[in-house]
Amino acid sequence: MAVCARLCGVGQSRRCRRRQRHNQQDQGSDSDMDEEEEERIVGGFLDRTSTGPPHPQSLAELPPELLVEIFSLLPGTTLSNVALVCKKFRQLLKTETIWRRRCIEEFGMKEDLRKVEARGVTSQDLYVKLLYPYRHILGLWQPDIGPYGGLLNVVVDGLFIIGWMYLPPHDPRVEDPMRRRPLFRIHMMESNKATVECMYGHKGPHKGDIQTVKKDEFSTKCNQTDHHRMPGGRQEEFRTWLEEEWGRTLEEIFHEHMQELILMKFIYTSQYDNCLTYRRIYLPPAKPSDLLQPGLFKGTYGSHGLEIVMLSFHGMSARATKLTGDPNVPAGQLTLDVNLCRPVVLPDLEQQCNIEELSQLVMGVHEEVQREQEQKENGTSATGRCAAEGACGGSSAAEEMESNHGACSDSCDSSHSSRSNPETQPFVLPMGVMARNEEYPRACRKCFYGTGLIAGHGFTSPERTPGLFVLFDKDRFGFIWLELKSFSLYSRLTDNLPHAHAPNLERFEAMLRNMQSWTS
């Protein structure tokens, strides 16, 4: 106890004790004890006239109001141990001020908890029975829905814990804000214990259940799936789903292949309306040297509509991993891999309009990268190769290797400074390149060589095909798929996503490695 007293600034320092007594006489009460509330501290009233020991010898001898202030600064997880010290501490820990502060500081609750307490739900019950037991499911999650994946954000929303499923905007409006749909909620509004409710369907909240399968994984189950059905049967359910998912009717979608993809997705995802498993995902950590702020982006993927990707940086490469996917390239796969050591200087606008000019430019870089990879696989050093070619009269090869190395170094330096001193250049898509959104930016900052992942239906015959990564600004980038003659535009997801940051870089890297096995 003497050690605790010293840590709290009393018991050893005479100056501290003198200042404390002076403040108590001038202020009369602790600043946290609201005058409007005049709250009684359980276990002792705020008796200003009592004359206790002038020099407390232990923490237990401190005034109740000071103990309440000390306890309210402790993490909620330690308060149960504090209650075991003595009866006085146990009684003081029933004070609502302590738990109110823990709810606000640890879980960001913005609701007026005094009004909640007036309805019979104490802040202590809110913390102990709702927030603390379900703290492990707060954050970002990827649902296990086969190749389609998804993005779930579990947050404290008012007096509820709500699981919001994030849906991309309607195709092709990539710069529109994300749409949200509640899948479940947890609350204490109707009883003295936490209640889980399924929010899926169109008949309102109904009974549900949440089970923690293992660390960084949980599952939800609906106990009343009849609430998911509509009076008009599957046809009405499909039309309603189509309106929510695509913002249009089937008659308005003239492309036959797109109709097949949409119907396939509806049939597949409908199987998961009663039980779903979720696995935790983290936002990528940022570094000062990154080309732009990493994070989540929504992008166009042709007939598959808009999908969500995670952009992260790994040394001198930028990688975009799918969080939502399609039957060709499922969620969890590396959709883009950009080599930041291979900048591409665009020609003038007239030449940019020619797809052959752009293809020749990018394929030249692609062949250089392939040669370097072959050298590494064969164990041949670049110096030895240049020397051999020089003996045959190919001195230009050595110069080329040196220039490539210099270009990589320049790229590293320019990437580091691009965020502070961006320079734009005119940009236009080549003729014959398809774009879902014609309103793409007409100026860009930088371009880099990269590869994109393509595959047949069912993720058959996957291969990486060369393309051009185009950085437009801090919130938008694009990718030209040369083989497909297609352009994807990506726009940053700007929603606030609390509890989503990785504890460290190692955890994030491990999550990325596991994502492919989740959905492949």
Side-chain angles (χ1 to χ4, degrees):
M1 288 302 179
V3 174
C4 294
R6 287 197 297 272
L7 291 175
C8 296
V10 297
Q12 294 297 321
S13 172
R14 296 180 181 177
R15 179 182 303 174
C16 184
R17 292 197 297 269
R18 190 181 306 114
R19 183 168 60 251
Q20 186 181 57
R21 289 196 301 271
H22 179 71
N23 290 340
Q24 289 177 356
Q25 293 173 0
D26 289 350
Q27 298 179 7
S29 65
D30 183 79
S31 59
D32 188 61
M33 305 304 298
D34 200 312
E35 292 183 1
E36 178 183 347
E37 184 182 22
E38 287 297 331
E39 173 177 73
R40 182 177 68 86
I41 296 182
V42 182
F45 289 89
L46 303 185
D47 188 358
R48 308 286 189 262
T49 61
S50 62
T51 57
H55 306 295
Q57 299 300 312
S58 69
L59 191 64
E61 295 179 6
L62 291 175
E65 64 270 26
L66 186 55
L67 286 173
V68 167
E69 175 65 17
I70 294 172
F71 294 161
S72 65
L73 297 174
L74 299 176
T77 54
T78 65
L79 295 180
S80 58
N81 294 329
V82 175
L84 299 176
V85 174
C86 62
K87 182 178 180 180
K88 179 179 180 180
F89 286 6
R90 186 165 60 251
Q91 288 295 105
L92 285 173
L93 286 174
K94 296 179 181 179
T95 305
E96 286 296 276
T97 302
I98 299 173
W99 299 100
R100 194 181 304 142
R101 189 166 181 175
R102 290 298 92 219
C103 290
I104 294 173
E105 293 188 359
E106 293 184 23
F107 298 98
M109 293 200 68
K110 299 178 181 179
E111 192 76 11
D112 188 348
L113 296 180
R114 293 183 179 87
K115 295 180 180 179
V116 179
E117 294 159 9
R119 295 201 296 262
V121 180
T122 66
S123 296
Q124 182 176 3
D125 284 342
L126 201 62
Y127 185 98
V128 174
K129 299 179 180 180
L130 176 65
L131 301 177
Y132 183 76
Y134 291 97
R135 71 194 184 282
H136 295 305
I137 70 170
L138 298 177
L140 286 181
W141 303 82
Q142 186 178 51
D144 184 5
I145 314 180
Y148 298 102
L151 180 64
L152 179 80
N153 186 27
V154 184
V155 297
V156 177
D157 193 338
L159 298 177
F160 298 86
I161 292 178
I162 300 182
W164 293 101
M165 179 68 83
Y166 275 67
L167 305 173
H170 292 141
D171 181 56
R173 301 193 293 269
V174 69
E175 298 194 38
D176 284 1
M178 295 288 290
R179 298 174 294 128
R180 299 191 308 170
R181 184 176 66 195
L183 289 191
F184 64 85
R185 70 179 187 181
I186 316 170
H187 63 85
M188 294 182 59
M189 303 298 291
E190 300 173 358
S191 63
N192 199 30
K193 63 178 182 178
T195 301
V196 179
E197 294 178 331
C198 176
M199 302 289 288
Y200 190 83
H202 302 272
K203 296 183 180 179
H206 47 282
K207 292 182 180 179
D209 188 28
I210 290 181
Q211 295 181 345
T212 302
V213 181
K214 56 184 179 180
K215 184 180 179 182
D216 293 336
E217 185 175 320
F218 77 96
S219 62
T220 58
K221 182 180 180 181
C222 176
N223 298 329
Q224 293 177 293
T225 53
D226 57 298
H227 281 63
H228 303 174
R229 307 292 168 248
M230 302 189 74
R234 297 289 282 176
Q235 186 174 1
E236 183 182 357
E237 291 174 11
F238 174 66
R239 289 187 175 275
T240 303
W241 175 86
L242 184 61
E243 179 67 27
E244 293 177 350
E245 190 83 7
W246 289 83
R248 63 184 80 173
T249 63
L250 193 62
E251 292 76 15
E252 296 173 333
I253 302 174
F254 302 105
H255 199 289
E256 184 177 348
H257 179 58
M258 182 180 291
Q259 290 181 353
E260 294 176 357
L261 291 173
I262 291 173
L263 185 58
M264 185 188 309
K265 184 175 183 179
F266 171 73
I267 295 174
Y268 193 98
T269 57
S270 297
Q271 305 173 33
Y272 294 86
D273 66 344
N274 66 328
C275 186
L276 265 178
T277 299
Y278 304 87
R279 298 180 179 90
R280 183 180 293 280
I281 57 178
Y282 295 111
L283 292 178
K287 299 182 292 295
S289 59
D290 292 341
L291 182 66
L292 72 160
Q293 180 76 15
L296 305 185
F297 292 79
K298 41 198 185 306
T300 55
Y301 278 85
S303 300
H304 299 292
L306 300 188
E307 299 184 11
I308 306 173
V309 303
M310 175 187 292
L311 180 70
S312 57
F313 292 88
H314 310 263
M316 287 312 299
S317 67
R319 299 172 185 169
T321 305
K322 280 192 171 186
L323 297 185
T324 61
D326 51 70
N328 290 65
V329 179
Q333 297 299 321
L334 183 63
T335 179
L336 301 179
D337 191 359
V338 183
N339 190 336
L340 300 180
C341 281
R342 295 290 179 175
V344 176
V345 180
L346 293 178
D348 57 37
L349 284 178
E350 184 177 350
Q351 290 179 311
Q352 287 185 38
C353 293
N354 190 336
I355 184 63
E356 298 300 330
E357 291 282 350
L358 182 63
S359 296
Q360 185 177 1
L361 190 64
V362 175
M363 291 306 297
V365 180
H366 180 65
E367 292 171 1
E368 291 178 5
V369 172
Q370 284 187 320
R371 283 198 299 267
E372 289 184 4
Q373 290 177 347
E374 290 176 0
Q375 292 171 9
K376 292 180 181 179
E377 293 174 358
N378 296 332
T380 305
S381 66
T383 305
R385 179 175 180 275
C386 291
E389 292 185 358
C392 297
S395 59
S396 60
E399 296 174 357
E400 182 181 355
M401 293 291 290
E402 185 177 352
S403 65
N404 289 340
H405 179 74
C408 181
S409 300
D410 295 341
S411 156
C412 296
D413 296 337
S414 61
S415 298
H416 181 78
S417 61
S418 63
R419 294 174 65 181
S420 58
N421 186 27
E423 295 181 1
T424 60
Q425 57 181 321
F427 173 81
V428 65
L429 284 176
M431 298 293 293
V433 173
M434 297 178 295
R436 299 289 294 175
N437 195 330
E438 297 295 335
E439 297 180 1
Y440 62 89
R442 293 305 196 271
C444 66
R445 293 183 181 178
K446 291 181 179 297
C447 296
F448 295 91
Y449 159 82
T451 59
L453 182 62
I454 60 174
H457 185 82
F459 198 44
T460 56
S461 304
E463 62 173 315
R464 304 210 68 85
T465 180
L468 182 69
F469 175 88
V470 185
L471 175 64
F472 294 114
D473 52 45
K474 64 183 181 65
D475 293 325
R476 293 178 297 178
F477 64 88
F479 191 80
I480 299 177
W481 308 73
L482 292 180
E483 183 174 336
L484 303 179
K485 292 186 178 179
S486 176
F487 172 72
S488 293
L489 177 63
Y490 300 83
S491 178
R492 185 181 298 278
L493 194 155
T494 57
D495 299 62
N496 181 34
L497 302 173
H499 308 286
H501 296 282
N504 49 59
L505 182 60
E506 290 73 19
R507 289 283 292 274
F508 176 77
E509 295 282 359
M511 178 210 71
L512 281 184
R513 289 192 296 269
N514 293 332
M515 282 185 71
Q516 290 190 9
S517 63
W518 296 347
T519 53
S520 59

